[in-house]
């Protein structure tokens, strides 16, 4: 296909009233020109993989910078680490989130309204409904807004912002090189995989998360570049922080049948909690524009008030997860109190617009609920030598899977975090239960899908558009220039997708388009594409 396309670029036909030329691009543009042609067709896997590796390095470097800024900034008032807000005075725990909310408000005020959407929701929205095009200003808002939120103690995660920054890195590189639009989604997924890989030191989980949650498809042409990006980001992360994952999890023995029964009941309750979290977050977001007080400032007050009484709720919660996983079990009453406060606070502050993620807090909520429910079940059945880490870990994977409705991403995450194959079967067991319960209660899917529905998007009606957006016009364009006859040519760039071509046809009421590639001074005719060819492709 590629050889035919490049040959077509040399077999141009000049039409009356046509601005296209039969000149080839200048020599300095020729290599990039050939790359765009190659990527428009179906046999560009090596080139996409090479670009994916570059994106992995760029995104991984940005996320390491992000993490270092957060760690370095909080070290000024948290000597024990960026999660130990309990070392602050009660007044400081109230004031710092309020000041942080004001700083975030100023940051949002300096950003155009159409660029203020952030997080994983924004990434999925741009990939599914806007051809994978993302903006630099939106990435900067997410980058610095999330830094302020994290160092101010808000109950948000860094993985959502990391996915936004990583995905935008891939998208912007593709736009800068004017690569075919059907590749932008793949490049953005490469950045998202690199983000998760660098955040947790879990490259496999990064790949599955990018495919299941962000890109929402599994194809060879996207899988291989995404894997390459995740590996390169993991290499950078290990150079900086070593080979250990985000959590040091002790060795967990095989579970007994009674423990699996406790885990099943716990998974049902976690599914209910996940559904409640989703609905509360969506309800808060729906009321945001109707508040008399600025929602960001209100979020700061809420976070400060909770932090004043329960400092463990502040931050992502990784320090609390570490304590539970290493057997330092707190009282059941305190675990349940902390769980309720973490769930409600995270739903409120993210719903009010604080630019942070929900993956990290959902893992803490899962660890708290798993440890509490598991301990209660163990006491009722009087089981000896039960590992609290076992129930906490299953709670983490169940909560993450239920909130995002991403079972594979959650399963692979727990496998890479524990590096223990004995956890796979119990994890699969609780994932199935929690996802079914949460999905049944929400009736519309996970948090991201329900947020898209709340914004007026209908994923069912976008499937055909997604299919057409993922294929470049070079895949099916023809070299038969006689189709143009003697009429004026309506042009379409060679890097456009089939969806772009269809939209141009409808806007100009034509059945045939001339496909061109741009040099510095000339537009070179490469082929033609017809509505009939597009219809045949998707039928």
């Amino acid at each position: 296909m590629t050889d035919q396309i490049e040959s077509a670029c040399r077999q141009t036909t000049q039409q009356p009233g046509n601005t296209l030329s039969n000149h080839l691009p200048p020599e300095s543009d020729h290599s990039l020109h050939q790359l765009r042609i190659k990527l428009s067709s179906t046999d560009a896997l090596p080139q996409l993989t090479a670009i994916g590796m570059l994106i992995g390095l760029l995104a991984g470097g940005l996320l390491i910078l992000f993490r270092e800024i957060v760690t370095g900034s909080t070290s000024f008032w948290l000597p024990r680490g960026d999660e130990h807000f309990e070392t602050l005075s009660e007044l400081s725990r109230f004031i710092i989130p309020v000041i942080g909310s004001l700083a975030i408000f100023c940051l949002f005020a300096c950003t155009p309204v159409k660029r203020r959407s952030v997080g994983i929701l924004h990434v999925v929205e741009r990939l599914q409904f806007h051809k994978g095009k993302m903006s630099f200003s939106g990435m900067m808002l997410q980058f610095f807004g999330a830094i302020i939120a994290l160092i101010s103690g808000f109950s948000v995660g860094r993985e959502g912002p990391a996915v936004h920054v990583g995905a935008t890195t891939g998208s912007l590189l593709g736009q800068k090189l004017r690569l075919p639009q059907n590749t932008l989604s793949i490049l953005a997924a490469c950045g998202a995989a690199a983000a998760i890989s660098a955040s947790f030191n879990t490259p496999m989980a990064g790949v599955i998360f990018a495919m299941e949650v962000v890109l929402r498809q599994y194809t060879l042409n996207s899988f291989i570049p995404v894997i390459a990006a995740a590996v390169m980001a993991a290499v950078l992360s290990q150079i900086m922080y070593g080979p250990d994952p985000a959590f040091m999890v002790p060795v967990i023995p095989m579970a007994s049948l009674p423990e699996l029964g406790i885990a099943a009941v716990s998974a049902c309750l976690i599914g209910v909690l996940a559904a409640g979290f989703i609905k509360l977050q969506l309800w808060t977001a729906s009321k945001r524009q109707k508040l008399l007080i600025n929602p960001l400032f209100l979020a700061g007050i809420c976070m400060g008030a909770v932090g004043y009484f329960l400092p463990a709720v502040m931050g992502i919660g990784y320090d609390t997860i570490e304590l539970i996983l290493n057997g330092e079990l707190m009282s059941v009453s305190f675990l349940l109190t902390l769980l309720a406060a973490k769930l409600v606070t995270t739903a409120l502050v993210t719903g009010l617009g604080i630019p942070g993620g929900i993956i990290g807090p959902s893992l803490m909520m899962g660890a708290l609920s798993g440890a509490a429910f598991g301990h209660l079940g163990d006491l009722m059945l009087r089981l000896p030598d039960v590992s609290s880490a076992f129930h906490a870990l299953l709670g983490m994977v169940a909560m993450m899977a239920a909130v995002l409705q991403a079972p594979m991403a959650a399963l692979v995450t727990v496998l890479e975090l524990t590096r223990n194959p004995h956890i796979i079967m119990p994890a699969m067991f609780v994932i199935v239960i929690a996802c079914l319960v949460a999905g049944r209660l929400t009736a519309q899917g996970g948090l991201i899908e329900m947020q898209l529905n709340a914004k007026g998007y209908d994923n069912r009606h976008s499937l055909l558009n997604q299919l057409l957006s993922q294929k470049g016009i070079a895949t099916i364009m023809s070299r038969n220039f006689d189709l143009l006859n003697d009429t004026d040519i309506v042009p379409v760039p060679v890097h456009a997708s089939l969806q772009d071509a269809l939209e141009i046809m409808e806007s100009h009421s034509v059945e045939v388009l001339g496909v061109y590639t741009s040099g510095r001074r000339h537009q070179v005719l490469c082929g033609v594409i017809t509505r009939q060819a597009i219809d045949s492709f998707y039928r």
Side-chain angles (χ1 to χ4, degrees):
M1 169 65 74
T2 301
D3 293 338
Q4 295 175 345
I5 295 170
E6 292 176 353
S7 175
C9 289
R10 292 167 171 79
Q11 300 179 24
T12 58
T13 300
Q14 190 73 23
Q15 299 295 337
N18 180 13
T19 61
L20 304 179
S21 169
N22 61 357
H23 292 79
L24 291 174
E27 189 65 29
S28 59
D29 292 342
H30 191 58
S31 297
L32 187 56
H33 159 71
Q34 288 184 316
L35 176 63
R36 293 175 186 139
I37 290 290
K38 186 82 173 178
L39 291 173
S40 296
S41 60
T42 57
D43 54 350
L45 188 56
Q47 290 81 0
L48 275 176
T49 302
I51 297 174
M53 295 174 68
L54 175 60
I55 292 171
L57 291 173
L58 293 174
L62 277 174
L63 295 174
I64 289 173
L65 175 63
F66 176 87
R67 183 171 173 178
E68 288 298 304
I69 292 175
V70 171
T71 303
S73 300
T74 52
S75 64
F76 286 106
W77 58 79
L78 298 176
R80 292 177 53 192
D82 58 353
E83 287 286 299
H84 295 279
F85 288 94
E86 65 274 7
T87 60
L88 296 173
S89 67
E90 295 173 339
L91 184 60
S92 297
R93 296 198 300 264
F94 177 80
I95 292 177
I96 289 177
V98 174
I99 295 176
S101 68
L102 294 176
I104 295 172
F105 169 76
C106 294
L107 192 62
F108 270 76
C110 297
T111 306
V113 176
K114 64 180 180 180
R115 305 293 190 193
R116 294 179 184 176
S117 179
V118 295
I120 298 175
L121 170 65
H122 175 72
V123 174
V124 175
E125 177 185 345
R126 300 307 298 181
L127 265 60
Q128 289 198 22
F129 303 99
H130 301 280
K131 305 171 186 176
K133 294 181 178 179
M134 304 178 71
S135 69
F136 179 78
S137 59
M139 182 179 76
M140 288 294 97
L141 175 64
Q142 175 69 96
F143 188 88
F144 291 106
I147 287 175
I148 296 172
L150 289 169
I151 66 178
S152 301
F154 280 96
S155 179
V156 295
R158 64 170 179 252
E159 299 77 23
V163 168
H164 186 166
V165 172
T168 305
T169 302
S171 176
L172 289 178
L173 180 62
Q175 294 178 63
K176 181 67 175 178
L177 297 177
R178 291 192 297 164
L179 298 182
Q181 292 183 12
N182 61 296
T183 66
L184 292 185
S185 294
I186 297 176
L187 300 183
C190 288
I196 296 296
S197 176
S199 297
F200 286 112
N201 195 13
T202 52
M204 189 185 303
V207 172
I208 301 301
F209 182 89
M211 306 300 288
E212 185 177 33
V213 179
V214 177
L215 197 57
R216 300 191 175 190
Q217 64 169 341
Y218 292 88
T219 63
L220 180 63
N221 277 356
S222 55
F223 227 124
I224 300 300
V226 168
I227 291 175
V231 169
M232 298 309 294
V235 169
L236 283 182
S237 179
Q238 292 186 20
I239 291 174
M240 285 292 297
Y241 306 112
D244 295 329
F247 307 111
M248 298 303 297
V249 182
V251 176
I252 298 176
M254 285 289 291
S256 63
L257 288 179
E259 283 186 275
L260 285 180
I262 295 172
V265 176
S266 178
C268 290
L269 296 175
I270 289 172
V272 174
L273 290 175
F277 173 80
I278 291 172
K279 292 188 175 182
L280 179 58
Q281 204 273 354
L282 291 172
W283 178 84
T284 305
S286 69
K287 304 298 182 182
R288 187 165 58 197
Q289 303 300 327
K290 303 175 183 178
L291 296 173
L292 298 178
I293 186 175
N294 181 272
L296 294 173
F297 183 63
L298 179 59
I301 294 176
C302 292
M303 189 69 250
V306 174
Y308 184 92
F309 296 102
L310 281 173
V313 176
M314 301 181 73
I316 305 172
Y318 288 167
D319 57 335
T320 303
I321 294 175
E322 289 275 8
L323 291 175
I324 296 174
L325 291 179
N326 286 282
E328 299 183 33
L329 186 65
M330 310 163 194
S331 67
V332 174
S333 60
F334 181 73
L335 287 173
L336 293 175
T337 301
L338 196 56
L339 169 62
K342 188 70 175 180
L343 188 150
V344 173
T345 304
T346 305
L348 289 178
V349 299
T350 56
L352 289 171
I354 295 297
I358 52 92
I359 296 177
S362 72
L363 292 176
M364 179 180 170
M365 289 186 286
L368 291 168
S369 55
F373 300 149
H375 189 59
L376 287 173
D378 295 339
L379 290 176
M380 293 175 62
L381 298 180
R382 297 182 180 180
L383 299 177
D385 301 324
V386 172
S387 171
S388 60
F390 171 77
H391 292 293
L393 193 59
L394 292 187
M396 290 168 61
V397 69
M399 182 65 78
M400 177 181 171
V403 169
L404 295 176
Q405 287 294 302
M408 281 299 297
L411 178 62
V412 175
T413 297
V414 74
L415 176 61
E416 282 195 293
L417 286 175
T418 61
R419 300 177 181 177
N420 183 353
H422 296 307
I423 200 66
I424 295 178
M425 188 276 287
M428 294 173 66
F429 182 56
V430 298
I431 284 173
V432 168
I433 296 173
C435 284
L436 287 176
V437 171
R440 184 76 174 179
L441 292 176
T442 60
Q444 292 182 327
L447 177 61
I448 304 299
E449 188 170 356
M450 293 187 68
Q451 287 174 326
L452 288 173
N453 291 337
K455 295 186 71 172
Y457 293 107
D458 189 345
N459 187 58
R460 294 170 298 176
H461 294 162
S462 70
L463 294 178
L464 177 58
N465 291 343
Q466 291 179 47
L467 174 64
L468 296 178
S469 297
Q470 291 161 4
K471 293 295 180 181
I473 57 176
T475 306
I476 62 171
M477 77 178 191
S478 170
R479 292 186 300 161
N480 183 10
F481 298 158
D482 292 339
L483 292 171
L484 297 174
N485 298 319
D486 293 326
T487 61
D488 291 344
I489 300 174
V490 176
V492 60
V494 72
H495 62 266
S497 65
L498 296 184
Q499 178 65 22
D500 297 322
L502 194 60
E503 291 174 358
I504 294 174
M505 288 178 183
E506 291 176 351
S507 64
H508 288 82
S509 300
V510 296
E511 299 293 318
V512 183
L513 300 176
V515 182
Y516 72 90
T517 184
S518 298
R520 290 182 178 177
R521 290 173 292 179
H522 303 284
Q523 293 180 334
V524 183
L525 184 63
C526 293
V528 295
I529 186 167
T530 65
R531 185 185 296 268
Q532 181 180 3
I534 298 175
D535 289 343
S536 299
F537 169 78
Y538 68 75
R539 289 185 189 283

